Amino acid sequence: MTDHIAAHLRLPAGPVDLTAIETDAAPGFDGGKTEGKAALAGMGAELADLQERLWAERTVGSERRVLLVLQGMDTSGKGGVLRHTIGLVDPQGVRITSFKAPTEEEKQHDFLWRIEKGLPQAGYIGVFDRSHYEDVLIARVRNFADADELERRYDAINDFEGRLAAEGFSIIKCMLHISADEQKARLAERLGNPEKHWKYNPGDLDERSLWPAYRDAYEIALERTSTDTAPWHVVPSDKKWFRNLAVGQLLLDTLRGLDLQWPAADFDVAAETERLAEETPVQ
Amino acid sequence: MTDHIAAHLRLPAGPVDLTAIETDAAPGFDGGKTEGKAALAGMGAELADLQERLWAERTVGSERRVLLVLQGMDTSGKGGVLRHTIGLVDPQGVRITSFKAPTEEEKQHDFLWRIEKGLPQAGYIGVFDRSHYEDVLIARVRNFADADELERRYDAINDFEGRLAAEGFSIIKCMLHISADEQKARLAERLGNPEKHWKYNPGDLDERSLWPAYRDAYEIALERTSTDTAPWHVVPSDKKWFRNLAVGQLLLDTLRGLDLQWPAADFDVAAETERLAEETPVQ
């Protein structure tokens, strides 16, 4: 049973202390790695069915769509979630947007400008690999924005997400939560494997040295931007299988909650059936 | 063994007679549906590995990318290939672009304008669900372009694809080839299943009545635009499992042919390993 995972992960209102949230737990799930992988695979058929309904609804004018926001420190596994969880659904209905350091053009605009451009259209499951939250995380740690601007941004994010929810977006926000030790092990693994050297760059260690500042920035951002319409989930991510399973469950819960229906025909089914049966033979 | 499929599907130079190419065959493959599905699943690991190498190469400046063009009559299974074959690879590295009837803005530009915008960036496997070929197919059948313009377009397409190949694109063009009877059965299935009514619209039967004109348009387009750098493959598609397997094999052959290598580290691996080991403890 995985139905209770979401309740464990949803962040309660109030101050956030990430050191009090375990990184290697599997809250709400009774099994281990083997059972966890099987449980994720077992979601595939229902996820695919619900996604196709979401996609189908768009053909009759529904504005509904899903936006999954993935945030986390380097090596926390955003890419792994994309591969293993999002990889379960039809790629036609998925739009993945990765946000890197902003370009010069992007810097000329408000921080939400490029985010707007990356939003999924109706019917899609959109996934943000990093997001507008970088603008209150690295921006805070690296002083890319001053205190007033950061204050403005928390409110702007809440306004923005509130507007999206009103427009038909279901927003799922996940902070992939790993320990500093786990990150160290993952970086060491990259350094030890020539096939993974391309994933590493020396700047990763500079960012790592700022771990406490990033934790502070996350705690503030999570507290300020976890709302009823777009709550944060802190996903214990030292166990890759639990991380993938938990995000899958959150996605499944969200799609189930939409009560998605197959659109009714907007044509005369009997007449079309007869027309097809009695057509002039096609050669 | 599926290695010989591509040779069977590649269109030879010269006039094309689609009525002479079987739609329900499985050329180059000895097994049936069960073996075919297993063979496709068996490609997954190698496809994923090669795709990640392609993706990794982009981080060191490679311009290489793949463009898979899917064309075919309604119900020929473009969506099925996306779900079952493209669904095998990491969605992060895939960009799917679906081309519908051009918008008013698109009509104000050359037919290749919107195509350029939909091209995959370096490192990606791009998939066109319909493509610039619509501009010599439906455009020819429905007289959206006059004879001179159609003539110009065949040459423009060859120039365009030649330029892409020179820029690092590997182009795989697939015409999903079904019989008129198979299309009739698939349309009847849609009409008979309320969960599939959303996929049907009465205009489908109007297009179907033009089957011979579409076949002519395909035959001309295939002959005029099958080049050494971007040859056409005609994929027998009455058997869905063979269609999915064949496109998978073409993709696998293409990726294998790129001799993709993991990028070498552009930093001092030993120094970084030591730096990580001797860091000030992170809390």
Side-chain angles (χ1 to χ4, degrees):
Chain A
M1 280 294 291
T2 57
D3 289 356
H4 299 296
I5 289 176
H8 286 272
L9 305 188
R10 183 165 170 162
L11 197 66
V16 178
D17 177 3
L18 283 171
T19 65
I21 302 177
E22 285 186 280
T23 55
D24 66 347
F29 188 67
D30 277 339
K33 182 174 182 174
T34 304
E35 295 79 15
K37 286 189 166 188
L40 179 62
M43 288 176 191
E46 187 178 354
L47 279 174
D49 176 75
L50 292 173
Q51 184 207 21
E52 191 172 13
R53 290 172 189 242
L54 179 67
W55 182 253
E57 276 200 349
R58 130 196 163 285
T59 64
V60 290
S62 169
E63 289 295 325
R64 299 203 289 184
R65 64 203 83 178
V66 173
L67 176 62
L68 172 64
V69 174
L70 299 176
Q71 281 289 156
M73 298 292 283
D74 280 345
T75 77
S76 61
K78 299 178 287 292
V81 168
L82 289 166
R83 189 174 308 115
H84 297 290
T85 304
I86 301 305
L88 291 174
V89 301
D90 190 337
Q92 285 176 96
V94 172
R95 178 172 180 184
I96 297 169
T97 310
S98 296
F99 294 98
K100 311 288 184 191
T103 63
E104 283 309 312
E105 185 188 19
E106 287 167 352
K107 286 182 192 167
Q108 302 300 314
H109 294 85
D110 182 63
F111 75 105
L112 291 174
W113 181 74
R114 66 176 186 159
I115 307 299
E116 288 270 3
K117 294 202 300 177
L119 290 171
Q121 292 182 282
Y124 280 82
I125 296 173
V127 189
F128 279 0
D129 171 9
R130 303 186 186 272
S131 67
H132 42 302
Y133 286 97
E134 292 297 319
D135 298 290
V136 291
L137 293 168
I138 191 172
R140 184 177 194 101
V141 172
R142 293 285 191 181
N143 294 312
F144 295 154
D146 64 25
D148 285 351
E149 172 63 9
L150 287 168
E151 278 302 309
R152 186 189 75 78
R153 288 183 184 179
Y154 298 117
D155 293 337
I157 286 172
N158 289 336
D159 288 348
F160 172 66
E161 293 179 356
R163 193 199 87 208
L164 295 183
E167 288 175 2
F169 284 72
S170 297
I171 303 173
I172 310 168
K173 301 192 293 198
C174 294
M175 188 265 185
L176 306 184
H177 186 38
I178 56 168
S179 69
D181 284 349
E182 180 67 20
Q183 187 190 57
K184 185 171 187 169
R186 292 182 186 182
L187 289 171
E189 191 198 346
R190 288 183 183 177
L191 284 166
N193 182 350
E195 294 189 359
K196 295 192 173 184
H197 284 166
W198 66 276
K199 292 187 176 186
Y200 182 91
N201 81 73
D204 295 345
L205 284 194
D206 302 326
E207 290 301 301
R208 176 172 165 78
S209 70
L210 299 169
W211 188 277
Y214 272 104
R215 185 172 54 223
D216 286 347
Y218 266 106
E219 288 174 347
I220 296 165
L222 293 173
E223 180 182 353
R224 294 289 301 271
T225 63
S226 202
T227 60
D228 284 339
T229 43
W232 272 103
H233 299 84
V234 178
V235 180
S237 296
D238 285 359
K239 291 180 169 61
K240 295 176 181 177
W241 65 264
F242 180 74
R243 174 200 71 202
N244 297 339
L245 174 65
V247 178
Q249 185 65 41
L250 290 168
L251 182 58
L252 187 58
D253 290 344
T254 299
L255 290 168
R256 282 176 176 166
L258 293 177
D259 189 28
L260 296 156
Q261 303 299 324
W262 294 110
D266 59 357
F267 54 88
D268 183 334
V269 176
E272 288 297 314
T273 303
E274 190 177 334
R275 205 177 140 216
L276 178 64
E278 298 182 357
E279 68 174 1
T280 307
V282 169
Q283 324 250 347
Chain B
M1 280 295 289
T2 56
D3 290 356
H4 299 295
I5 288 176
H8 286 273
L9 305 187
R10 184 165 169 162
L11 196 68
V16 177
D17 176 4
L18 283 171
T19 66
I21 302 178
E22 285 187 280
T23 55
D24 67 347
F29 187 68
D30 277 340
K33 182 174 181 175
T34 304
E35 295 79 15
K37 285 188 167 191
L40 178 63
M43 288 176 190
E46 187 178 355
L47 279 174
D49 175 76
L50 293 172
Q51 183 207 23
E52 192 172 10
R53 291 173 189 243
L54 178 68
W55 181 254
E57 276 199 348
R58 127 196 166 284
T59 65
V60 290
S62 168
E63 290 294 325
R64 300 203 289 183
R65 66 203 81 177
V66 172
L67 176 62
L68 172 64
V69 174
L70 298 177
Q71 282 289 156
M73 297 293 283
D74 280 345
T75 78
S76 62
K78 299 178 288 290
V81 168
L82 289 166
R83 188 174 308 114
H84 298 289
T85 303
I86 301 305
L88 290 174
V89 301
D90 189 338
Q92 285 175 96
V94 171
R95 178 172 182 186
I96 297 169
T97 310
S98 295
F99 294 98
K100 311 287 183 193
T103 63
E104 283 309 311
E105 185 188 20
E106 287 167 352
K107 286 182 192 167
Q108 302 300 312
H109 294 86
D110 181 64
F111 75 105
L112 291 173
W113 180 74
R114 67 176 185 159
I115 306 300
E116 288 271 4
K117 294 202 301 176
L119 290 171
Q121 292 182 281
Y124 280 82
I125 296 172
V127 188
F128 279 180
D129 171 8
R130 302 187 187 271
S131 67
H132 42 303
Y133 286 98
E134 293 296 319
D135 298 290
V136 291
L137 292 168
I138 191 172
R140 183 178 194 100
V141 172
R142 293 287 192 179
N143 295 311
F144 296 155
D146 65 25
D148 284 350
E149 172 62 9
L150 288 168
E151 278 301 308
R152 186 189 75 78
R153 288 182 183 178
Y154 298 117
D155 292 337
I157 287 172
N158 290 334
D159 288 348
F160 172 66
E161 293 180 355
R163 194 200 86 208
L164 296 183
E167 287 176 1
F169 283 72
S170 296
I171 304 172
I172 309 168
K173 300 192 295 198
C174 294
M175 188 266 186
L176 306 183
H177 185 40
I178 55 169
S179 69
D181 283 349
E182 180 66 20
Q183 187 190 57
K184 185 170 186 170
R186 293 182 185 181
L187 289 172
E189 190 199 346
R190 288 183 183 177
L191 284 167
N193 182 350
E195 295 189 357
K196 294 192 173 183
H197 284 166
W198 66 276
K199 292 187 175 185
Y200 182 89
N201 82 71
D204 295 346
L205 284 194
D206 301 327
E207 291 302 300
R208 177 173 164 77
S209 70
L210 299 168
W211 188 278
Y214 274 105
R215 185 172 53 222
D216 286 347
Y218 267 106
E219 288 175 345
I220 296 165
L222 293 172
E223 180 182 353
R224 293 289 300 271
T225 63
S226 202
T227 60
D228 285 340
T229 42
W232 273 103
H233 299 83
V234 178
V235 179
S237 296
D238 285 359
K239 291 179 168 62
K240 295 175 182 178
W241 64 265
F242 180 74
R243 173 199 72 202
N244 297 338
L245 174 65
V247 177
Q249 185 65 42
L250 290 169
L251 182 58
L252 187 58
D253 290 344
T254 299
L255 290 168
R256 283 177 176 164
L258 292 177
D259 189 26
L260 296 158
Q261 303 299 325
W262 294 109
D266 59 357
F267 54 85
D268 183 333
V269 176
E272 288 297 314
T273 304
E274 190 177 334
R275 204 175 141 219
L276 179 63
E278 298 182 357
E279 68 175 0
T280 308
V282 169
Q283 323 251 347

